[in-house]
């Protein structure tokens, strides 16, 4: 590099540096205010406690606006339907509703719910209860009628539970379903759905299983029976899957040129039904089809209330699992499309569906992942798609069921598997969470594994429990740090992370990244003493031992002096003994005589001093200088003040209060004054309610900011023993 170029580069750097300095100066601000402790801050800001309004008063208010708000809350269709954009959304909702309706024909809404209901009905109405006497065969008609009665009563009871839970706002439990938990849960559910569809893809007859490890056993059975696969079924599923994938690729490619997406699922299902009927896939190639669809509606029947006592436990479990499945999927789609899910309204809506359905002899249902994905991918936008789907299914049940008897189940399975792509792509969360937050990754993995192994009901419970335990564990092990001042600012940061942050001489500032409560209060205290660089407990112990020795020595000296005084001048032996002791103690007889009158006072004063030290950790105001660390020959801390940054505290419990009091006591024992800073007002209120403040710890020990506390500590360094009175008079 030539000299001219180097000079030009230096000039450029100097210009940039000058520009940055000018920009920093332009952004400088200066604030002048008095140093404020909590008492002064409350007086300056005129603090007063906020009187909370009782929720029941709000519920009992009656007005036109409140009545309208309640109506729209429980009937949200009245809010969005008048603003429904017919030209933009109606065609998509129609096609989506028809696609979902045709897929709904051969199966129930969600396999897990169906299995849970089936296990209840099989346990309460087993085949053994319907054996015929003559040939020991099962009376299937009576058995099925009993099981239908059980299922309908179960549906009514589940609906009652869900409506009741929604009205009492049980939906708050959704707050415990974090995004990683929901993603892991729905990914595991999609894997279960995928495995459950394999029997239709390969044309296999599998055993019905439920409970923990059921999906593992199902997968193993599929692998074991693969040689028995029906070739025609496999080809049908493969062709249908390829067609659906191609249509989706075309929709993505031609998205800007098409007025609406090509309804691939609807066209594939109708075309597959026609081909199956024309070619005879069932008879010629052994392809399993939907078969007979019963026509007509069953008249409504009141449930048998005598069965409720037997079903109440299972009904509550099914109600919670059904809600969990629905709200998990709801949160997934809400995140995708930018809206909010009202969990309590979902509970009420789901409960009403089960309650009314149970009267028409339906079994409990929840939302279906596969059909929800199909509805989204085929252009569905609102509940109009669900209404169209329901109406079309009603028409099929009443009149058109026979038109879809030849629909191959393999085509339905292919449509479900293709639409699972979005959920299965959530496996990429593993890579992103590994880089972003490994604790969230742990929640995702534990939720996924627990749901796969334990099924959706127990898996969800295990995932929520693990997530809450992890929160407790993380608050038990927060980040503790010693803070230093960033030069020329009132900002304090961790000296281990900020190289320019410097500890203030004579003042230690300590901070925890989490609130202090019963699970981490002991660790907070121990880490504080460790971070300060001195063994506080050992120093206090040594101090007490030396003071004890000093007291015993004084007692012995006073006792011998008392004996000498009682013996009088007529007993020279005793006098000489006393003189000997005095000489050994490096004290002359004249000194002892001069101190005869003061000995008892000194003894009483010393005894009181030690009692006060043991009781409150404070040296007596009249204590002799010999009780200080320096006089006792003990090492002194290199700081005179300790500031506790309590800005992270969100609440305090009794254990936290006792821990803070013990910190004040212990550090005052080693001649270090303690201050607190940056407490939020609700925490201060809780400190007052817990009688934390007293004669030795007042609000004048609590400051508005760390900088206020540090400045005050520098202005009032503690040197030697200080009486409780002088400590509080700040």
């Amino acid at each position: 590099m030539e000299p001219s170029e180097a000079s030009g580069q230096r000039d450029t750097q100097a210009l940039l540096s000058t520009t940055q300095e000018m920009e920093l100066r332009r952004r400088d601000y200066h604030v002048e205010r008095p140093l404020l402790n909590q008492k002064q801050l409350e007086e300056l800001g005129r603090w007063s406690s906020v009187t909370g309004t009782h929720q029941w008063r709000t519920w009992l208010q009656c007005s036109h606006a409140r009545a309208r708000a309640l109506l729209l809350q429980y009937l949200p269709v009245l809010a969005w339907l008048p603003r429904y954009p017919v030209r933009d959304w109606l065609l998509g909702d129609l096609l989506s509703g028809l696609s979902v309706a045709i897929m709904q024909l051969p199966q129930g809404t969600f396999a897990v719910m169906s299995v849970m209901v089936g296990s209840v009905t099989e346990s309460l109405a087993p085949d053994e209860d319907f054996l015929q006497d003559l040939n020991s065969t099962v009376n299937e008609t009576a058995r099925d009628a009993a099981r239908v009665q059980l299922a309908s009563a179960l549906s009514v009871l589940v609906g009652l539970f869900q409506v009741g839970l929604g009205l009492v706002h049980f939906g708050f439990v959704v707050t415990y379903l974090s995004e990683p938990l929901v993603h892991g849960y729905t990914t595991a559910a999609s894997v279960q759905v995928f495995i459950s569809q394999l029997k239709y893809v390969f044309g296999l007859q599998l055993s019905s299983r439920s409970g923990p490890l059921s999906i593992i056993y199902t997968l193993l059975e599929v692998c074991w029976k693969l040689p028995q696969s029906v070739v025609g079924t496999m080809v049908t599923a493969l062709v249908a899957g390829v067609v659906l994938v191609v249509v989706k690729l075309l929709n993505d490619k031609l998205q800007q040129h098409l007025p609406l997406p090509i309804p691939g699922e609807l066209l594939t299902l109708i075309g597959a039904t026609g081909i199956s009927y024309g070619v005879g896939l069932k008879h010629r190639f052994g392809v399993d089809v939907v078969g007979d669809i019963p026509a007509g509606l069953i008249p409504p029947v009141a449930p048998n209330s005598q069965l409720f006592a037997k079903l109440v436990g299972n009904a509550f479990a099914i109600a919670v699992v059904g809600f969990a499945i629905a709200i998990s999927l709801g949160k997934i789609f809400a995140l995708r499309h930018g809206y909010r899910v009202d969990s309590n309204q979902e509970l009420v809506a789901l409960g009403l569906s089960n309650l009314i359905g149970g009267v028409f002899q339906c079994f409990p249902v929840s939302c279906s992942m596969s059909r929800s994905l199909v509805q989204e991918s085929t252009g569905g936008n609102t509940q109009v798609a669900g209404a169209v789907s329901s109406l079309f299914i009603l028409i099929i049940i009443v009149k058109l069921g026979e038109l879809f008897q030849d629909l191959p189940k393999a085509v339905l399975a292919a449509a479900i598997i293709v639409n699972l792509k979005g959920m299965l792509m959530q496996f990429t969360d593993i890579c992103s969470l590994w880089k972003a937050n490994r604790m969230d990754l742990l929640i995702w993995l534990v939720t996924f594994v627990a749901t796969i192994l334990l099924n959706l009901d127990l898996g969800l419970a295990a995932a929520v429990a693990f997530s809450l335990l992890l929160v407790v564990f993380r608050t038990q092990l927060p980040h503790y740090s010693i803070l230093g001042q960033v030069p020329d600012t009132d900002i304090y940061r961790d000296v281990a992370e900020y190289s320019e942050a410097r500890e203030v001489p004579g003042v230690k500032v300590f901070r925890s990244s989490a609130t202090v409560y019963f699970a981490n209060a002991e660790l907070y205290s121990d880490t504080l003493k460790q971070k300060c660089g001195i063994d506080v407990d050992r120093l206090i112990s040594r101090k007490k031992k030396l003071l004890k020795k000093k007291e015993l020595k004084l007692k012995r000296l006073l006792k011998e002096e008392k004996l000498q005084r009682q013996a009088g001048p007529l007993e020279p032996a005793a006098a000489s003994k006393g003189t000997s002791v005095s000489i050994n103690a490096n004290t002359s007889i004249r000194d002892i005589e001069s101190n005869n009158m003061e000995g008892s006072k000194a003894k009483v004063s010393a005894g009181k001093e030690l009692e006060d030290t043991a009781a409150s950790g404070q040296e007596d105001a009249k204590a002799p200088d010999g009780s200080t660390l320096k006089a006792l020959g003990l090492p002194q801390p290199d700081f005179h003040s300790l500031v506790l940054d309590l800005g992270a505290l969100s609440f305090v419990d009794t254990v936290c209060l006792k821990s803070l009091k013990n910190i004040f006591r212990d550090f005052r024992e080693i001649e270090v004054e303690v201050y607190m800073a940056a407490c939020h007002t609700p925490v201060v209120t809780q400190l007052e309610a817990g009688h934390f403040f007293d004669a030795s710890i007042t609000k004048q020990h609590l400051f508005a900011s760390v900088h206020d506390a540090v400045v005050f500590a520098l202005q009032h360094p503690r040197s030697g023993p200080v009486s409780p009175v002088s400590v509080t008079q700040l």
Side-chain angles (χ1 to χ4, degrees):
M1 181 181 294
E2 295 183 0
S4 59
E5 294 180 357
S7 176
Q9 188 173 4
R10 284 195 298 269
D11 293 342
T12 303
Q13 292 176 351
L15 180 61
L16 289 174
S17 178
T18 304
T19 305
Q20 291 175 353
E21 290 179 2
M22 292 176 63
E23 181 65 23
L24 287 174
R25 290 197 191 98
R26 194 177 299 118
R27 287 183 289 176
D28 282 349
Y29 68 93
H30 302 276
V31 177
E32 292 185 3
R33 64 171 177 82
L35 188 149
L36 294 174
N37 58 38
Q38 183 64 29
K39 183 178 180 180
Q40 294 166 340
L41 179 62
E42 291 177 359
E43 293 174 354
L44 181 65
R46 296 183 181 179
W47 175 84
S48 61
S49 59
V50 179
T51 56
T53 57
H54 297 287
Q55 186 67 32
W56 60 269
R57 292 182 179 177
T58 306
W59 293 340
L60 295 179
Q61 289 178 356
C62 185
S63 63
H64 175 75
R66 175 150 179 78
R68 184 175 183 275
L70 284 174
L71 183 64
L72 295 180
Q73 178 182 351
Y74 291 104
L75 292 175
V77 65
L78 299 178
W80 62 263
L81 189 59
R83 301 194 301 267
Y84 181 78
V86 177
R87 297 181 59 183
D88 297 331
W89 286 357
L90 181 60
L91 186 56
D93 283 337
L94 284 173
L95 295 175
S96 176
L98 292 175
S99 301
V100 173
I102 296 176
M103 292 184 64
Q104 191 72 22
L105 292 178
Q107 303 179 16
T109 56
F110 202 64
V112 175
M113 293 288 292
S114 302
V115 169
M116 292 179 70
V117 174
S119 63
V120 173
T121 57
E122 289 176 6
S123 63
L124 295 180
D127 292 342
E128 293 78 11
D129 293 351
F130 302 94
L131 294 176
Q132 296 176 347
D133 296 333
L134 298 178
N135 50 9
S136 299
T137 58
V138 178
N139 186 347
E140 295 183 356
T141 303
R143 181 200 64 186
D144 292 345
R147 290 181 176 178
V148 167
Q149 192 177 27
L150 283 168
S152 60
L154 182 64
S155 181
V156 170
L157 200 54
V158 168
L160 289 174
F161 273 126
Q162 289 175 334
V163 171
L165 292 174
L167 293 177
V168 299
H169 289 200
F170 180 76
F172 77 91
V173 297
V174 175
T175 57
Y176 300 111
L177 303 180
S178 63
E179 185 175 337
L181 188 149
V182 170
H183 281 205
Y185 185 70
T186 51
T187 304
S190 65
V191 171
Q192 290 201 355
V193 172
F194 176 81
I195 294 175
S196 69
Q197 298 301 312
L198 292 179
K199 64 179 181 180
Y200 301 114
V201 172
F202 296 104
L204 303 176
Q205 298 294 325
L206 303 181
S207 304
S208 178
R209 291 185 173 87
S210 62
L213 300 178
S214 59
I215 199 67
I216 304 297
Y217 291 134
T218 301
L219 181 60
L220 293 176
E221 188 177 3
V222 169
C223 297
W224 180 259
K225 291 186 176 181
L226 275 180
Q228 305 175 16
S229 301
V230 179
V231 177
T233 302
M234 294 172 59
V235 172
T236 302
L238 180 63
V239 171
V242 170
V243 171
L244 289 171
V245 170
V246 170
V247 172
K248 288 185 178 297
L249 291 175
L250 287 175
N251 282 332
D252 294 338
K253 192 75 173 177
L254 305 176
Q255 184 177 6
Q256 298 179 350
H257 305 286
L258 295 174
L260 72 159
I262 302 172
E265 283 78 8
L266 180 61
L267 296 177
T268 302
L269 294 175
I270 294 175
T273 303
I275 293 173
S276 175
Y277 176 78
V279 177
L281 293 180
K282 177 177 176 59
H283 303 291
R284 295 181 59 184
F285 302 101
V287 177
D288 195 14
V289 296
V290 172
D292 293 334
I293 299 176
L297 283 176
I298 299 174
V301 177
N304 186 358
S305 58
Q306 296 179 353
L307 299 174
F308 286 176
K310 300 178 181 179
L311 298 171
V312 61
N314 292 307
F316 184 79
I318 292 174
V320 173
V321 171
F323 168 66
I325 294 170
I327 203 64
S328 297
L329 288 177
K331 291 185 72 172
I332 289 291
F333 292 115
L335 288 172
R336 287 186 184 178
H337 300 285
Y339 61 87
R340 185 177 177 274
V341 179
D342 186 345
S343 55
N344 295 307
Q345 181 66 18
E346 291 293 320
L347 261 175
V348 173
L350 194 60
L352 287 175
S353 299
N354 286 320
L355 183 61
I356 297 173
V359 176
F360 288 90
Q361 299 188 17
C362 298
F363 64 86
V365 297
S366 181
C367 66
S368 167
M369 175 182 291
S370 57
R371 288 151 188 79
S372 299
L373 292 169
V374 169
Q375 178 170 316
E376 181 198 31
S377 62
T378 52
N381 296 293
T382 65
Q383 291 93 326
V384 171
V388 171
S389 178
S390 301
L391 181 61
F392 192 59
I393 289 175
L394 179 63
I395 294 173
I396 291 174
I397 290 174
V398 175
K399 292 293 182 183
L400 304 180
E402 60 184 14
L403 296 179
F404 295 94
Q405 292 180 358
D406 292 308
L407 174 61
K409 293 183 179 179
V411 176
L412 291 169
I416 291 173
I417 291 174
V418 169
N419 284 282
L420 285 176
K421 174 192 172 186
M423 288 294 177
L424 294 176
M425 286 297 292
Q426 291 180 150
F427 277 111
T428 58
D429 290 348
I430 296 176
C431 297
S432 59
L433 290 176
W434 175 264
K435 299 175 182 178
N437 192 316
R438 295 185 183 179
M439 285 295 182
D440 284 348
L441 174 62
L442 185 61
I443 294 174
W444 195 102
L445 292 175
V446 169
T447 303
F448 177 82
V449 173
T451 307
I452 290 292
L453 297 180
L454 303 178
N455 223 329
L456 289 180
D457 47 356
L458 296 178
L460 178 64
V464 172
F466 176 80
S467 181
L468 295 178
L469 285 176
L470 189 60
V471 171
V472 175
F473 176 75
R474 294 174 76 174
T475 58
Q476 281 185 295
L477 297 174
H479 177 68
Y480 297 109
S481 54
I482 294 293
L483 305 184
Q485 184 182 18
V486 178
D488 300 324
T489 70
D490 62 347
I491 299 172
Y492 292 79
R493 292 293 182 264
D494 188 353
V495 294
E497 297 176 352
Y498 288 77
S499 59
E500 290 299 319
R502 295 288 184 268
E503 290 190 48
V504 178
V507 181
K508 287 282 185 182
V509 183
F510 180 76
R511 181 178 65 189
S512 169
S513 63
T515 193
V516 183
Y517 67 114
F518 69 91
N520 64 4
E522 185 177 357
L523 180 63
Y524 178 88
S525 180
D526 293 342
T527 308
L528 167 62
K529 295 174 181 178
Q530 178 187 356
K531 291 276 188 181
C532 286
I534 53 175
D535 193 339
V536 178
D537 296 329
R538 185 169 181 270
L539 188 57
I540 294 174
S541 177
R542 291 177 62 191
K543 178 182 177 181
K544 288 184 177 180
K545 287 181 180 179
L546 290 175
L547 288 174
K548 186 69 174 177
K549 288 181 180 180
K550 188 175 181 181
E551 180 192 15
L552 293 175
K553 183 177 179 181
L554 181 60
K555 284 182 178 180
R556 186 174 66 251
L557 183 63
L558 292 173
K559 182 178 180 181
E560 293 174 354
E561 187 258 341
K562 181 179 179 181
L563 291 174
Q564 179 184 4
R565 188 171 63 250
Q566 289 175 351
L570 298 178
E571 297 184 10
S576 62
K577 183 179 179 181
T579 304
S580 174
V581 172
S582 299
I583 293 172
N584 290 337
N586 297 322
T587 306
S588 65
I589 297 175
R590 184 176 296 176
D591 292 335
I592 293 177
E593 290 177 350
S594 65
N595 290 328
N596 279 344
M597 300 302 296
E598 298 177 5
S600 60
K601 295 181 180 179
K603 195 263 182 186
V604 173
S605 177
K608 187 176 185 302
E609 170 197 344
L610 291 172
E611 290 175 0
D612 291 345
T613 300
S616 64
Q618 300 293 320
E619 290 86 4
D620 191 88
K622 298 180 180 179
D625 293 338
S627 64
T628 63
L629 294 176
K630 184 177 181 181
L632 293 172
L634 295 175
Q636 295 177 278
D638 59 352
F639 57 97
H640 55 75
S641 300
L642 171 66
V643 177
L644 302 178
D645 182 359
L646 303 182
L649 263 64
S650 57
F651 68 93
V652 291
D653 57 9
T654 56
V655 178
C656 175
L657 294 178
K658 291 180 180 179
S659 179
L660 290 175
K661 278 184 172 288
N662 290 338
I663 289 172
F664 271 82
R665 180 200 64 197
D666 292 345
F667 277 89
R668 284 174 172 174
E669 280 277 0
I670 61 172
E671 301 165 12
V672 174
E673 188 53 79
V674 182
Y675 304 100
M676 303 179 296
C679 256
H680 300 295
T681 302
V683 176
V684 177
T685 304
Q686 292 175 15
L687 291 174
E688 290 179 324
H691 305 290
F692 176 76
F693 299 108
D694 53 23
S696 62
I697 307 174
T698 70
K699 285 187 177 180
Q700 292 172 333
H701 288 86
L702 176 59
F703 290 86
S705 69
V706 172
H707 191 62
D708 286 329
V710 171
V711 172
F712 183 87
L714 292 175
Q715 293 174 355
H716 301 77
R718 179 175 181 177
S719 58
V722 181
S723 68
V725 176
S726 64
V727 168
T728 57
Q729 293 177 349
L730 302 179

